[in-house]
Amino acid sequence: MDDATLRDRVRELMARAKSDLAEMVRFRSVHDPQQFPPEECDGMVDWLLTAFRELGVDDVAAHVTSDGSKAVTGQIPGPEGAPTVLLYFHHDVQPPLGDDEWDSPVWELTERDGRWFGRGAADCKGNIAVHLTALRALAGDLGVTVKIIGEGSEEQGTGGLEHFAVENPDLLRADAILIADSGNFAVGRPSLTTTLRGIANIDVSVETLESAMHSGMFGGAAPDALAALISMLATLRDEHGNTTITGLEADAEWPGVSYPPEQFRSDATVLDGVELVGSGSVSDMVWARPAATVLGIDCPPVVGSSAAVQPRARARINLRVPPGMDPTYAQDALIEHLKAVTPWNARVSFEREAVGSPFVGSTSGPAYEALTDALATAYGSEVLIQGQGGSIPLCNVLQSTFPDAEIMLFGVEEPQCLIHAPNESVDPTEIERIALAEALFLRDYATRTAQAQKSDATTGEV
Ligand SMILES: [Zn+2]
């Protein structure tokens, strides 16, 4: 099927994509049995089983995973010896997070100003619509084996699929893994997300007195645990706002797309007149460098506080770890740094939370080349390489389970989608172009692999 035919078919399928998405959005598939009836997630899974079965996906099945969520698997076998592509999505969604703040019903796909609104419209049901549309457009004309994997608790972070993937590698094994749960830098600007920062959190506790003491009688000479903690936390940044942890490099530069400061200000809802922090570019600061954030401090709240010097105080610190940095090393460095700056011989102790490694996806290879070409063709413009400041633990699990697979993140989620917030929406032109890109990829990837093998063989002979 040539490019133009595929393009036309995808366009014709957009009405179906919209009705599919409307049906999917109707399921309140939040994997939180305390808040939402489990029948909603089950209904969503049944819908998927029917939809993929109609598309000729064999053995499509739902599996209960360790956290009670359901994973959806299946495959369309390709020609003998053809490479395998795994299409990832998740079918759970975030809760509405403020029903009253929505301008249209949360669970009803509503068109407004050319966008489609509803919880999950982009994250990640819009991406499910992409997979369905791409497979429908190709109508079985596939040069590859296609596997699907749907996760049922991605938004909860309870790890059901992470365990399932390790226990059932044959259902997921692939040469190329397309994680459709990311998106473009901006509408109309095709992008691949190639890195994710890792995480290394700690709790730090400071103790100085046996009990709270009157600040009038003792304040001035008594060692104040809260003052000690504040002074320690203050050393985690320099005067420009750069994270400064002894032993951690914080001057890496992001080689891909530059995140314009004006756009970042608006995405991050920075107030007028308030400055951004850090001496690097925005891309450097959020994708290539470590960042320490104090998530919480245990100390008396203002209301109800009394005139007392505090005997103890505690803080939780979230450390984002950029690609190339070991998270355990980073956690150690943070602890050593805080020990070294603890004043007055105060007693300090630490609790480590679980660490997560940064992730680096494919940036070369036949799948990477096929996908960047497909995105460039679908959009008629150059592909941007972006990072993501947060982490997706599943990506690391897939990478360690399938070390030879090329893993790539893309999708329909761009900043205007407001994923996880009220008034989530998707731009339908993004669904159309990402679906076309995925269809082009599925059509061309086998040829790319064959070419790569041929050139490897040639190089081998030399
Ligand atoms: Zn998502």
Side-chain angles (χ1 to χ4, degrees), residues 88-90 92-94 122-125 127 154-155 180-182 392 413 419-420:
Y88 167 92
F89 56 88
H90 64 82
D92 69 317
V93 294
Q94 284 280 335
D123 178 19
C124 180
K125 291 171 177 173
N127 288 309
E154 194 274 342
E155 302 292 6
D181 188 21
S182 174
I392 306 178
E413 300 162 24
I419 63 165
H420 297 197

Side-chain angles (χ1 to χ4, degrees), residues 78-84 138 140-146 442-447:
E80 184 72 25
T84 299
L138 289 163
D141 187 7
L142 294 162
V144 293
T145 290
V146 172
L442 293 171
R443 184 196 65 184
D444 296 341
Y445 171 50
T447 318

Side-chain angles (χ1 to χ4, degrees), residues 12 22 25 34 40 66 77-78 94 108 143 160 188 234 337 341 363 374 430:
E12 286 158 15
V25 165
Q34 312 294 329
E40 296 284 334
S66 59
Q94 284 280 335
E108 197 178 307
H337 174 106
V341 298
T363 53
E430 292 287 290

